[in-house]
Amino acid sequence: MRWKVMGERFRATLRDLLHLREAHGTHRVALRAGVSVLVPLLAVLAAGHPDWSLYAAFGAFTSLYGRNHVHLSRAAMQASAGAALTASVVLGVLVGSLESRAWVAVPTAAAVAAAGAVLAAAQDWHPPGPLFLVFGFGAAASVPHAVSDVPTAAAVAGLSSLFALLVGAVGSVLRRQRSRPARLRHVWTWEPVRYAVAVVLAGGAATAIGIGHPYWAMVAAVVPLSARGVTAQLVRAGHRIVGTLLGLLTSAALLAPGFSPVATVLVVAALQIVTELLVGRNYGLALLFITPMALLMGQLAAARLVGSLLVDRGVETVIGAAIGGAVVLCQPWLRRCDGAPEHPPEPADQV
């Protein structure tokens, strides 16, 4: 009986890997996200500080939250997410100021993941989970910093987040749509622990091997856990691996020309728009554009050799997503220990 259930789950996973879901209103979300990323990145370039683009980009990700909310409901969700994103970036800068930042970043990222999981679940964040918090912390912690960079990081990320919130508020006023009330969700006892374990295992493995960007492995490990239901989580892990590996081809094509900083920002904004049009339909397909967008943003802040960059991205994604998938497969046992149902309901509007 158990093998039959496993076989059915495997077939469902394969089927869902290629499934294109319906996603309504994505053009509005895509436009908000594109504007929210474009303006702050152009602003830091105009100020003569492309190195600040890291702070600006993660503040701009505030626009991705509350896509199915409007008015006060979305503003409240984006405000809490924006504050958490800014705090994650600032914490990353502090860790980046340490000489032993690589190993300190791993347990700290695990703590960020666990705390973010609690906050995201309690406030019903959409997109769910602490993915962007771990991403923001890891990206900042991977770059050498000084403690004196903290005020700049807080100001740039905070202002970028505020701008994204204002863009969302303007859209709500123009649409005059009724707000969907926010809801509080039950937080599974083991959920923050699972996030922390996945981040520690993935980050520890990548750091021990000596790959250049261990936080990519940590982010990839978090990705599957943000979905709801074991099948959806395994699909997400498969999407992350296959989509990223294929996305390395689009990345190579976009990194090869060596765009100017302004051209890079324009390409990043365009990729952000395309990503939001696709991510609700098929996450693996969206990764064809997410992958080059992330790499181009990194190159904008600090240029690196393209070849090693692509290899690091591919290897770390496979490590992280595989570890995340392994943690997913352990979840039924943890849920039985906790007394929670094995298959919690999956929200229909999940990204």
Side-chain angles (χ1 to χ4, degrees):
M1 184 67 178
R2 182 178 180 182
W3 288 107
K4 181 179 179 181
V5 172
M6 291 179 64
E8 291 176 351
R9 179 171 291 165
F10 179 72
R11 287 191 294 272
T13 300
L14 290 180
R15 182 178 62 251
D16 290 347
L17 279 171
L18 301 176
H19 178 62
L20 290 175
R21 295 184 295 273
E22 291 187 8
H24 302 290
T26 54
H27 62 286
R28 291 186 292 269
V29 180
L31 183 59
R32 288 198 304 266
V35 172
S36 298
V37 168
L38 177 64
V39 173
L41 289 181
L42 288 178
V44 297
L45 290 185
H49 286 281
D51 51 310
W52 293 354
S53 60
L54 184 151
Y55 315 141
F58 285 104
F61 286 160
T62 299
S63 66
L64 305 181
Y65 289 86
R67 63 188 299 148
N68 294 325
H69 295 250
V70 292
H71 303 313
L72 183 60
S73 176
R74 183 164 68 204
M77 184 181 296
Q78 290 187 336
S80 66
L85 284 166
T86 301
S88 297
V89 170
V90 169
L91 182 59
V93 171
L94 287 172
V95 171
S97 68
L98 303 175
E99 291 186 8
S100 56
R101 63 180 181 276
W103 282 109
V104 174
V106 175
T108 309
V112 169
V118 172
L119 183 60
Q123 298 192 358
D124 191 27
W125 278 2
H126 184 267
L131 171 62
F132 291 105
L133 304 186
V134 175
F135 190 11
F137 165 79
S142 69
V143 179
H145 283 98
V147 176
S148 58
D149 294 330
V150 167
T152 299
V156 174
L159 288 172
S160 180
S161 175
L162 179 60
F163 176 74
L165 198 153
L166 292 175
V167 170
V170 170
S172 295
V173 171
L174 293 177
R175 289 178 62 198
R176 297 184 179 277
Q177 180 179 338
R178 292 182 61 186
S179 178
R180 194 185 84 173
R183 55 179 178 170
L184 297 180
R185 274 187 0 204
H186 175 66
V187 183
W188 299 114
T189 303
W190 286 99
E191 186 169 334
V193 176
R194 285 193 286 269
Y195 277 110
V197 169
V199 167
V200 165
L201 292 177
T207 303
I209 294 172
I211 307 174
H213 301 77
Y215 74 93
W216 284 342
M218 294 188 278
V219 170
V222 167
V223 166
L225 302 180
S226 298
R228 296 285 170 233
V230 174
T231 299
Q233 290 171 333
L234 293 177
V235 168
R236 188 66 60 85
H239 275 161
R240 188 72 184 190
I241 293 174
V242 176
T244 297
L245 294 180
L246 292 176
L248 294 178
L249 300 177
T250 54
S251 300
L254 289 172
L255 288 168
F259 295 123
S260 68
V262 172
T264 299
V265 168
L266 294 176
V267 172
V268 165
L271 290 171
Q272 181 69 74
I273 291 173
V274 176
T275 294
E276 291 307 308
L277 291 173
L278 294 175
V279 72
R281 292 178 168 85
N282 185 288
Y283 181 62
L285 183 60
L287 279 161
L288 297 178
F289 304 93
I290 293 173
T291 304
M293 178 175 62
L295 296 180
L296 283 169
M297 285 194 297
Q299 291 293 79
L300 188 64
R304 293 177 174 84
L305 292 176
V306 173
S308 60
L309 200 66
L310 296 176
V311 171
D312 287 355
R313 182 74 175 194
V315 172
E316 292 194 22
T317 295
V318 171
I319 291 173
I323 289 175
V327 172
V328 166
L329 294 175
C330 294
Q331 287 181 156
W333 178 80
L334 289 174
R335 288 197 183 100
R336 285 195 294 271
C337 292
D338 190 37
E342 185 170 343
H343 300 289
E346 181 179 355
D349 58 351
Q350 181 186 324
V351 172

